[in-house]
Amino acid sequence: MASQSITTTLTLPSKICSKAQFGFSSKPLFFKVVSAFQTKSCVAIRAMGSSASSSSHNSDSSSQDAGKMDYSSTSDAEWKKKLSGEQYYVTRQKGTERAFTGEYWNTKTPGTYHCICCDTPLYESSTKFDSGTGWPSYYEPIGNNVKSKLDLSIIFMPRQEVLCATCGAHLGHVFDDGPPPTGKRHCINSASLKLKPK
C-alpha cells in the first residue's frame, strides 16, 4: 500500500507558522490547527477532509430515548460514588480495559446495551459481532445516542473516539474495518456498558 501523509499547520499568536508532514500507511486524514488562544497553550483543531470514520453522528442532535437530565454539572466526586473504580477510569478518564477481560466481550445474550453512567440505550445486541479484538464490537449505535470526536491522544495515530451523547462518557473508538451494512467497528469497553436482556 502506498504511504499516505498527514499535514499539520500551526498558526500561533506570534505569527510563527510551522508545517510538518508525517508518512502513514493508512487512509488519509488531514487536519489543520486553525487558531490558537493565549490561554497558556490551548489550541483549537478542526478536521480538514476526513477518513470515513470521521463522518459521525451530530453531537448537537437530541439523543433518542436518552434521559433528560443534564450531566454537565455532575462532579468527579459524584461519578466516583456512582461508579466502580474501573468504570470511572474508563468512562470519566478515557481509560481502556485490557482485551478479553471485560464482562461483555464474548456475550451473546439478546438485549440492549446502556450507558453505565446515565442509562442511555447505546447499542442493540443485534448489531454486535465477533471482531476477534477482545472488546465488544458493534457495527451501529442506536440513533444519535453515540457521538464521536477526533482523538489525538496517541501521537501520529489519529482515531475517532466514541462517547455517550447524553453524559459524555468515554465508550471506546470507531474504526472502518467493520462488517456490512455500515463497515464500522465500534470497539467498546465493557466497563462503559450495562446490558439489559430482552
Side-chain angles (χ1 to χ4, degrees):
M1 177 192 283
S3 178
Q4 305 282 332
S5 67
I6 290 181
T7 303
T8 4
T9 303
L10 299 176
T11 306
L12 302 173
S14 61
K15 309 277 189 219
I16 300 170
C17 292
S18 82
K19 288 189 178 184
Q21 264 196 334
F22 307 100
F24 288 90
S25 295
S26 63
K27 295 182 180 176
L29 175 72
F30 299 96
F31 61 94
K32 180 179 180 183
V33 177
V34 293
S35 62
F37 303 96
Q38 195 56 38
T39 9
K40 304 242 171 170
S41 55
C42 177
V43 177
I45 297 176
R46 179 177 66 203
M48 306 285 288
S50 63
S51 69
S53 68
S54 65
S55 57
S56 64
H57 295 290
N58 185 348
S59 61
D60 295 330
S61 299
S62 61
S63 298
Q64 172 185 324
D65 299 328
K68 295 185 180 9
M69 185 171 167
D70 178 16
Y71 291 91
S72 61
S73 62
T74 305
S75 70
D76 277 348
E78 290 171 297
W79 285 124
K80 283 180 181 176
K81 253 179 165 174
K82 177 182 171 73
L83 304 169
S84 73
E86 183 177 34
Q87 290 166 344
Y88 178 81
Y89 166 69
V90 167
T91 61
R92 307 328 298 181
Q93 296 184 311
K94 302 182 185 297
T96 302
E97 66 196 11
R98 288 183 304 132
F100 303 101
T101 64
E103 182 178 359
Y104 301 123
W105 79 269
N106 201 26
T107 300
K108 311 264 190 277
T109 306
T112 304
Y113 292 85
H114 290 245
C115 176
I116 196 69
C117 296
C118 69
D119 204 35
T120 297
L122 302 173
Y123 299 96
E124 292 292 347
S125 60
S126 59
T127 66
K128 190 172 190 279
F129 66 97
D130 182 4
S131 64
T133 61
W135 287 282
S137 297
Y138 309 85
Y139 62 78
E140 184 175 51
I142 296 172
N144 292 325
N145 293 355
V146 173
K147 64 182 181 178
S148 71
K149 71 176 191 173
L150 184 63
D151 176 3
L152 298 172
S153 61
I154 299 178
I155 225 161
F156 307 127
M157 191 175 135
R159 300 177 293 170
Q160 285 293 318
E161 177 187 11
V162 286
L163 307 113
C164 173
T166 303
C167 71
H170 170 76
L171 305 173
H173 292 87
V174 62
F175 302 95
D176 294 323
D177 57 4
T182 65
K184 302 291 184 189
R185 172 173 56 93
H186 288 243
C187 189
I188 307 300
N189 291 284
S190 291
S192 66
L193 301 172
K194 174 174 51 181
L195 172 61
K196 293 189 177 179
K198 287 187 178 175

